[in-house]
Amino acid sequence: MSYARIAGIGSYLPEKVLTNKDLEGMMDTSDEWIRERTGIKRRHIAADDESTSSLGLEAARRAMEMAGVTADELDLIVVGTCTPDKVIPATACIIQRQLGAKRCPAVDINAACSGFIYGLDYANRYLRTGGASKALVIGVETLSRITNWEDRTTAVLFGDGAGAAVLETSDEPGIMATHIHANGEFEDLLQTQNGVSLGFDASAAAGAFIEMNGNAVFKRAVATFDSMARETVADLDGHLEDIDWFIPHQANMRIITAAAKKLGMPMERVIATVDEHANTSAASIPLAMDLAVRDGRIKRGDTLLMAAFGAGFTWGSAMLKF
Ligand code: ACO
């Protein structure tokens, strides 16, 4: 059985930037509070004429360029997102058409912030079992569209962005392990009240926007990062010391720092880019990885541990050699 390796990585952030100072003029908050509690300095916001598919398309093109893979070579497209362009068709199908890819399977996965890891797990299984030899996995969100800009407890946290990876089969790993999980009991802690079959009405009063119990989410996120990172590393009879870079979901700096501390992972080996783009949900891991690859921190051959946690709750991790 062959392995899957990341042949190329890419990301895209919308041009428009919303700083903490900008938010001060919109709600009762302060740059100091946001930095202190979250580490976030700014977030990128999709323009009116941008969409989840247009952000994802740009990240995909960059990843494909790095991989040297053309659209007609793709056998599978998976998009992790909880903010699709439309209910139907899947954003993956829209991106497939825009790329000019052949009629390969194209599907969205909604695992909230764990969307990219779920996509990686899915594509990895396809490649390893001969169902595909090249796959495009995208994590992308336009969370600004479901953010209540009058709710300071959530509005300061989120941003828009995209990250993408091209996977291809390889004789050597590659992806060494993936684990994904979910527990639907925690729906109330992080959700939008309505959707499609439940209350289709896009206004704050009708519950279209994100609501969250921040403290409870924080605690569970930190504990879960710790247990899943250990699970994945132990599954390979490995040790945390074998990991060159830990790339956690970029929710906020306090969660990242607390998770790293619990794992005993020095911050010098943790990729943290949340200050630059806030929480972009499914986009955050490939986005962080791409930024660190392009600035030279992550090099070919490095061992990476990715771990995500999000609404659902869902969580998942992947250990791989880049
Ligand atoms: N600006 C200023 N003050 C604020 C703001 C704000 N934006 N938001 C809340 N406050 C106030 C609160 O009203 C409260 O005031 P009070 O003491 O007078 O009642 C005070 O700040 C403290 O509020 P807490 O909610 O207790 O603040 P906490 O230290 O828990 O930080 C935070 C809040 C940042 C949301 C934290 O709970 C957190 O990081 N949670 C994780 C949630 C997360 O990142 N979710 C993302 C999606 S899930 C995921 O990606 C993992």
Side-chain angles (χ1 to χ4, degrees), residues 12-23 26 35 40-47 50 144 149 158-160 274-278:
Y12 176 76
L13 287 165
E15 219 171 283
K16 183 178 169 193
V17 169
L18 195 63
T19 64
N20 295 348
K21 280 271 173 231
D22 295 331
L23 287 176
M26 295 164 62
R35 279 180 192 244
I40 295 165
K41 296 178 192 156
R42 61 187 72 85
R43 68 282 300 139
H44 293 247
I45 304 293
E50 287 184 307
S144 64
W149 294 102
F158 300 110
D160 301 335
V274 64
D275 58 328
E276 291 300 322
H277 50 69

Side-chain angles (χ1 to χ4, degrees), residues 183-191 216-217 220 309 311-313 315:
N183 182 346
E185 281 172 31
F186 299 101
E187 179 179 350
D188 291 352
L189 293 182
L190 181 50
Q191 62 167 330
V217 171
R220 196 155 283 270
F309 179 86
F313 290 134
W315 60 102

